[in-house]
Amino acid sequence: MTKQVNFEKIAHQPAYRVVSEKIRNAIVSGEIKTGELLPTETKLAEQFGVTRSTVREAIRLLEHGGILGRADRKRLVATLPPTETVGRSVSSALLMHQVTYEELWQVAMGLEPLASKLACTAATRKDKLLLAANLVHTREIMDDHDALLDAEIEFHNLLAEATHNSALLLARAPLNELFYPAAWGAVIRALSPGERILVAHQHIYGAICENNPDKAEEWMKKHMLDFRRGIEMGNLGFDQPVKG
Amino acid sequence: MTKQVNFEKIAHQPAYRVVSEKIRNAIVSGEIKTGELLPTETKLAEQFGVTRSTVREAIRLLEHGGILGRADRKRLVATLPPTETVGRSVSSALLMHQVTYEELWQVAMGLEPLASKLACTAATRKDKLLLAANLVHTREIMDDHDALLDAEIEFHNLLAEATHNSALLLARAPLNELFYPAAWGAVIRALSPGERILVAHQHIYGAICENNPDKAEEWMKKHMLDFRRGIEMGNLGFDQPVKG
DNA sequence: AATTGACATATTGTCGGACAATGAGTCAAT
DNA sequence: ATTGACTCATTGTCCGACAATATGTCAATT
């Protein structure tokens, strides 16, 4: 084992990555404001001193992350990655990693009651109105299971938005996209009419209006336990991977 | 307002998106196993009946999401997106959305005690050994604030891994990458010696070994409250955006 | 046997130019 | 106010080319 000189490995990033990073920086640093249109591909190519093909590859790199979007299907526009985009990638990663109902339920049990509690102090008048509207709508479509799922998801999402906490919103994205849709079939069969669901939602809404965090948290926990019971009673095992 | 026929808007995705989706499906469906090499760009181009440029754009689309990686800087290989990659994109999204210390703390307050509780029943012998090793190491580097931060993050991460819940692991990624590093400066000044931190960690570890979920949860809550106090006492405001 | 050198080959990164399709704007005709 | 014809800008896609670099083979050297 003779002593050897160690050179640090040289970087040499491909040009499309460099260009991609430059554009990214320009956006996150605010040099290009969100919503603003970017120069056209040809102009970018000129400015960076590369070919249009290279610029296009750089753009694709950012496009998927949601940093770049299309204004009207033509021009590109700088956009802050909408939580949706990031949320979707989280969900798809979880799917690929064979996340189970139980894992998602545990996270739900941690986040949803928290959201309820926080919403009590953070909810604005507008948030409450939206929740109220959701309840009315839910009562109307009580028999349509598909529509009821949408309403259920919307309720929990409105609740999360009422906390005005973007970190929480993002952390619970997989619940919207994976947990509720996947668990729904079993849950709705177990809690035969959607009555129990609506009652829980109403109590949570009531607690928020009364500014009663503890009550909101408690009812959400009950609601989540109902979900657990539904999944366990359904034919889908609690420790089975969620199927997208 | 005359009645009008409504046609559903026609899709027409650009080819590079179609190709991208095809490849993505081939990977997530397991048709191409992870770690396996993909055909070369030229062959893909032939198979899909498009040009190499188009294939390359499709590849860039996937490359950013971590579904495709480089084997050796030449050939492409299929890889499951490592949780790291996804976690980073979540964190950077939160940064851009000017997430505040308070928002992150609230999420931490929801997830970390949950992790402690779950770890009590899910932790394997190996998990406990890793935690114990972390405690020993922490005691040794008590005076090196930077090293202490790393140990702190590692402790919480080991704890989360001990739950064997990938959804939880992903949901709390921003805590590792944003919350703890950003809050650390203030916290370490407020809780002058790291003594209080170590004590909390030890009690949590003890609770896990005794299989005492309630105790684990309680001590983690105390630990989190210490963080809150630290941030509030520090010069950085609790409602200020976290700076990356 | 192990290293080295020379060489052909395969694959990616980058370039340049070309054309079709489509969206946006202008202006005249109805 | 709507329609039609026209131009122009921009993106999507194609083609062909070349340089740089990894890979593989084989002989020559030590």
Side-chain angles (χ1 to χ4, degrees):
Chain A
M1 197 52 102
T2 71
K3 190 174 181 183
Q4 296 218 358
V5 188
N6 273 330
F7 292 103
E8 53 184 34
K9 84 174 106 174
I10 69 175
H12 186 262
Q13 295 272 52
Y16 62 85
R17 277 174 192 256
V18 180
V19 172
S20 163
E21 275 309 305
K22 293 251 185 193
I23 298 181
R24 177 191 207 92
N25 281 337
I27 293 180
V28 302
S29 78
E31 189 180 334
I32 301 179
K33 293 178 191 65
T34 66
E36 194 172 331
L37 277 77
L38 270 81
T40 65
E41 295 177 351
T42 358
K43 290 194 177 173
L44 284 174
E46 288 172 11
Q47 295 181 19
F48 287 115
V50 296
T51 359
R52 200 159 74 93
S53 323
T54 308
V55 170
R56 283 177 66 84
E57 294 192 35
I59 291 176
R60 297 300 158 258
L61 231 30
L62 299 177
E63 194 173 328
H64 187 266
I67 295 184
L68 286 182
R70 294 206 172 359
D72 46 27
R73 167 145 117 214
K74 265 310 204 231
R75 295 294 295 275
L76 281 172
V77 59
T79 63
L80 277 196
T83 44
E84 291 178 353
T85 308
V86 186
R88 255 196 301 278
S89 76
V90 174
S91 302
S92 93
L94 286 178
L95 255 188
M96 282 190 254
H97 281 282
Q98 308 247 330
V99 71
T100 65
Y101 288 101
E102 174 156 34
E103 290 174 297
L104 286 174
W105 181 82
Q106 287 175 341
V107 171
M109 195 61 180
L111 292 180
E112 299 291 46
L114 174 68
S116 304
K117 188 168 58 175
L118 294 176
C120 287
T121 64
T124 66
R125 215 167 301 122
K126 190 176 174 188
D127 294 325
K128 293 174 189 168
L129 284 178
L130 288 173
L131 282 169
N134 173 273
L135 289 182
V136 172
H137 180 238
T138 303
R139 199 175 297 117
E140 287 169 359
I141 53 153
M142 222 39 177
D143 301 322
D144 181 346
H145 286 182
D146 289 341
L148 199 54
L149 168 59
D150 290 339
E152 161 83 13
I153 293 181
E154 195 195 41
F155 178 82
H156 289 272
N157 208 43
L158 287 174
L159 200 63
E161 281 173 4
T163 66
H164 299 280
N165 181 326
S166 52
L168 177 58
L169 219 50
L170 210 44
R172 64 176 293 291
L175 303 183
N176 278 348
E177 298 177 28
L178 294 181
F179 181 64
Y180 293 121
W184 190 247
V187 172
I188 198 65
R189 267 195 301 278
L191 315 179
S192 42
E195 203 55 46
R196 248 186 106 75
I197 292 172
L198 183 55
V199 170
H201 285 196
Q202 281 170 333
H203 276 102
I204 294 168
Y205 171 71
I208 290 176
C209 291
E210 306 167 13
N211 215 323
N212 187 339
D214 293 333
K215 181 179 166 193
E217 193 177 9
E218 277 314 308
W219 271 100
M220 182 58 93
K221 281 187 183 170
K222 287 184 190 172
H223 189 38
M224 288 295 112
L225 284 173
D226 275 349
F227 262 83
R228 177 176 189 128
R229 279 220 336 272
I231 297 174
E232 283 174 336
M233 290 169 58
N235 45 12
L236 37 87
F238 199 54
D239 54 353
Q240 290 301 305
V242 172
K243 50 193 180 306
Chain B
M1 197 54 100
T2 71
K3 190 173 181 182
Q4 297 220 358
V5 187
N6 273 330
F7 292 103
E8 55 184 33
K9 99 171 89 175
I10 180 166
H12 186 260
Q13 294 272 54
Y16 62 86
R17 279 176 192 257
V18 181
V19 172
S20 162
E21 275 310 305
K22 292 251 185 193
I23 298 181
R24 176 191 209 91
N25 280 337
I27 293 181
V28 304
S29 77
E31 188 180 335
I32 301 179
K33 293 178 192 65
T34 67
E36 195 172 329
L37 278 77
L38 271 81
T40 66
E41 296 177 352
T42 351
K43 291 195 175 171
L44 284 174
E46 289 173 10
Q47 295 181 18
F48 287 115
V50 296
T51 359
R52 200 159 73 92
S53 323
T54 307
V55 171
R56 284 177 64 85
E57 293 191 35
I59 290 175
R60 298 299 160 261
L61 231 32
L62 299 178
E63 194 172 328
H64 187 263
I67 295 186
L68 286 183
R70 288 201 180 13
D72 45 29
R73 163 147 118 218
K74 256 331 197 221
R75 299 291 296 275
L76 284 170
V77 315
T79 63
L80 275 196
T83 43
E84 293 177 352
T85 308
V86 185
R88 255 197 301 277
S89 78
V90 173
S91 301
S92 94
L94 286 177
L95 257 187
M96 283 191 253
H97 279 283
Q98 308 247 329
V99 71
T100 65
Y101 288 100
E102 175 157 34
E103 290 174 296
L104 285 174
W105 181 83
Q106 288 175 341
V107 171
M109 195 61 180
L111 292 181
E112 299 291 46
L114 174 69
S116 305
K117 188 168 56 176
L118 294 176
C120 287
T121 63
T124 65
R125 215 167 300 122
K126 189 177 175 187
D127 295 325
K128 292 174 189 169
L129 283 178
L130 288 173
L131 282 169
N134 173 273
L135 289 183
V136 171
H137 180 237
T138 303
R139 200 174 297 117
E140 285 169 0
I141 52 150
M142 222 39 176
D143 301 321
D144 181 345
H145 287 183
D146 289 342
L148 199 53
L149 167 59
D150 290 339
E152 161 84 14
I153 293 181
E154 195 195 42
F155 178 82
H156 289 272
N157 208 41
L158 287 174
L159 199 64
E161 282 174 3
T163 65
H164 299 280
N165 180 326
S166 53
L168 178 57
L169 219 49
L170 211 41
R172 64 176 295 288
L175 303 182
N176 277 348
E177 297 177 28
L178 294 181
F179 181 64
Y180 293 121
W184 190 248
V187 171
I188 198 65
R189 268 194 301 278
L191 315 178
S192 42
E195 203 53 47
R196 250 187 105 79
I197 291 171
L198 183 55
V199 171
H201 286 197
Q202 282 169 333
H203 275 103
I204 294 168
Y205 171 71
I208 291 175
C209 291
E210 307 167 12
N211 217 321
N212 186 339
D214 292 334
K215 182 180 166 193
E217 193 177 11
E218 276 315 308
W219 270 100
M220 182 59 93
K221 281 187 182 170
K222 286 184 191 173
H223 189 38
M224 288 295 112
L225 284 172
D226 276 349
F227 262 83
R228 176 175 190 129
R229 280 220 336 272
I231 297 173
E232 284 174 335
M233 291 170 58
N235 45 12
L236 36 87
F238 200 53
D239 54 354
Q240 290 301 306
V242 171
K243 50 192 179 306

